[in-house]
Amino acid sequence: MSAVIENSPSPTPVTSRGPYSRWTSLAVLCAGTLMTILDGNIVTVAMPAIQGDLGFSGPGLAWVVNAYLIAFGGLLLLMGRLGDLVGRKRMFTTGLAVFTTASVLAGLATSQGLLIAARALQGAGGAMASAVVLGMLVALFPEPREQARAIAAFSAVGAAGGALGTFLGGALTQALNWHWIFLINLPIGVAAWLAAVRVLAPERGAGLGRGADYPGAALVTGALMLTVYVIVGTGDRAPAGTALLALLALALFAAFTLRQVRAARPLLRPRLFRSRLLTGANAVQVLMIATMYGFQFIGALYLQKVLGYGELATGTAFLPAPIAIGLLMLGLSARTVARYGAYRVLLAGLALIVAGMALLSRAPVHASYAGDVLPALLLLSAGFAAAMPALTGLAMSGAREEDAGLASGLFNTTQVVGGSLGLAVLSTLAASRTGGLLEAGAEQIPATAEGYRLAFRVATGIAVAALVLAGAVLRPRNR
């Protein structure tokens, strides 16, 4: 394994302060993470209400999601590195404050511009808080068995939070209005910030003078932001424009790579990726999250536009997912990983995801929830509950403690890139297939269902690719 900074002091490990236990500190980290993850999904069901209230066009409405994703995904790597330098607790608490403030601005927004700007600021705050959490977790729980339990709990909160956001978005929008999907973050954010300040022990980072490659940071942040922008806007621009922007993103990545080779104190040494586990786990995660994120958004649209579910009914239909994920991760995941090993648990989880997506790819027009939707949902939830903690443990085991913030930021970055890629590819395929059938004279609902079936089939193929890649790259090596 390689280090980002050579001969530099490691950040002081994060511990609990005073009478508080490490598990209390973990609860605080999970609470802060839950807020940012909820907000990434809570807007999905509320999008029609936001569009009707603020007068967004179809392409313009997408920026309510895209502004958050671009800022969040583009800044994760930089914030993870800065967390190593200034102290991860300081970065985490600052991120919570920025995110909470931006949530209030979004909740009070009365214009399109203010809402989009507030969403971008939310993304920046979310990146600050999320980028360092895994690094803090690894420092809190260095013993492998306890670390597996902590990662399982953290992954359960993250995975369940995504599905729970869909339910809360529908409930709050229908009971009150869409403004409350953002304003609800004010009491949660204030409580999480106060708890983090009180519970988490102060830590000393390596210092901004140690390894702060600001030109490199500007290049990689610009490259990541442009990459996410290209992915999330693929369906809204001409192919030539997309290709040009993709080439520009590649040029920025190439310039960043060259900078890292030549800089005296690089932000990210290229040999960090010689860690097979770190690199392989991130590659597998891109494919797995592309599958799950695409399912979450396409699945919600399928329930509403094909089966005729309302906002609250759609959120309720997804509610078994966070319950199943939470129970499986907290009750079985850590013990299963300890007994069978992360590699075997990961493969089993990915196989369940493949089975769930294959079942969902039937997507009948007259489906029943109990017979067609719920079984697929439970298979996907069980697979993700098994795969995500195992994959997280494999990734973080490929980084040294002094690089934990950067590795955490990288792991979160590939989540955003995978989610954005899955959403862009699957939604574009579904829309293209539906549009072609409508032009050929098909009826609206059957054509829409066929578009979603195509998206689910492609998602199944992506899940198979993740399973094959994990089996080939992450296999334990005999000593």
Side-chain angles (χ1 to χ4, degrees), residues 64-472:
V64 177
V65 175
N66 294 349
Y68 182 89
L69 289 177
I70 290 170
F72 187 85
L75 292 172
L76 274 169
L77 190 59
L78 174 60
M79 296 306 173
R81 185 65 184 131
L82 289 177
D84 288 336
L85 300 179
V86 304
R88 295 171 199 148
K89 176 184 175 179
R90 181 179 301 174
M91 183 61 68
F92 180 74
T93 53
T94 302
L96 290 180
V98 171
F99 185 89
T100 303
T101 301
S103 296
V104 174
L105 293 176
L108 298 177
T110 56
S111 67
Q112 298 179 14
L114 179 57
L115 179 59
I116 291 173
R119 288 288 285 164
L121 186 60
Q122 273 189 311
M128 296 171 73
S130 300
V132 296
V133 169
L134 282 176
M136 299 171 78
L137 187 152
V138 170
L140 274 169
F141 300 94
E143 195 275 322
R145 185 176 295 272
E146 284 192 340
Q147 188 177 108
R149 291 174 58 197
I151 287 177
F154 172 76
S155 299
V157 168
L164 188 59
T166 305
F167 170 75
L168 288 177
L172 289 172
T173 301
Q174 188 162 316
L176 299 171
N177 56 58
W178 66 264
H179 296 276
W180 283 95
I181 67 175
F182 301 116
L183 294 176
I184 194 66
N185 289 330
L186 178 59
I188 298 173
V190 170
W193 184 86
L194 290 173
V197 170
R198 184 174 181 84
V199 172
L200 298 178
E203 61 166 355
R204 179 176 56 86
L208 287 175
R210 306 292 299 242
D213 176 23
Y214 297 109
L219 286 170
V220 73
T221 301
L224 287 169
M225 284 187 167
L226 187 56
T227 298
V228 177
Y229 173 70
V230 169
I231 292 172
V232 298
T234 298
D236 300 328
R237 68 174 75 92
T242 298
L244 182 61
L245 290 173
L247 288 174
L248 179 57
L250 287 174
L252 288 175
F253 275 120
F256 169 71
T257 301
L258 184 62
R259 168 72 187 178
Q260 300 314 287
V261 172
R262 297 182 175 181
R265 298 185 184 276
L267 176 69
L268 176 64
R269 291 191 183 276
R271 67 170 178 263
L272 178 68
F273 293 97
R274 293 177 184 173
S275 168
R276 177 179 57 91
L277 292 178
L278 180 63
T279 304
N282 276 280
V284 170
Q285 180 175 233
V286 169
L287 298 175
M288 184 180 75
I289 297 298
T291 301
M292 297 300 296
Y293 211 79
F295 150 73
Q296 187 170 335
F297 280 87
I298 301 297
L301 292 174
Y302 169 68
L303 291 177
Q304 293 184 62
K305 294 190 175 183
V306 176
L307 302 186
Y309 283 36
E311 295 168 344
L312 182 58
T314 300
T316 304
F318 275 89
L319 194 55
I323 296 174
I325 289 171
L327 291 175
L328 289 172
M329 282 189 175
L330 295 176
L332 297 176
S333 182
R335 286 183 290 176
T336 305
V337 169
R339 181 172 181 178
Y340 296 104
Y343 173 74
R344 292 179 179 176
V345 174
L346 172 61
L347 294 187
L350 290 173
L352 289 174
I353 290 174
V354 170
M357 288 307 307
L359 184 61
L360 196 62
S361 64
R362 298 181 302 115
V365 174
H366 301 291
S368 72
Y369 177 74
D372 297 300
V373 177
L374 183 59
L377 187 67
L378 293 177
L379 281 172
L380 289 166
S381 300
F384 195 74
M388 193 61 192
L391 191 62
T392 304
L394 287 170
M396 295 306 293
S397 69
R400 293 180 178 177
E401 197 281 329
E402 63 265 29
D403 306 328
L406 180 60
S408 173
L410 178 63
F411 195 71
N412 282 289
T413 299
T414 58
Q415 282 189 16
V416 176
V417 171
S420 302
L421 181 62
L423 179 59
V425 170
L426 297 178
S427 61
T428 300
L429 287 173
S432 177
R433 178 61 172 162
T434 298
L437 291 173
L438 291 175
E439 291 177 1
E443 296 182 0
Q444 179 68 52
I445 291 181
T448 303
E450 179 57 34
Y452 295 152
R453 276 194 290 271
L454 175 62
F456 290 142
R457 292 186 192 116
V458 173
T460 303
I462 296 173
V464 170
L467 177 59
V468 172
L469 181 62

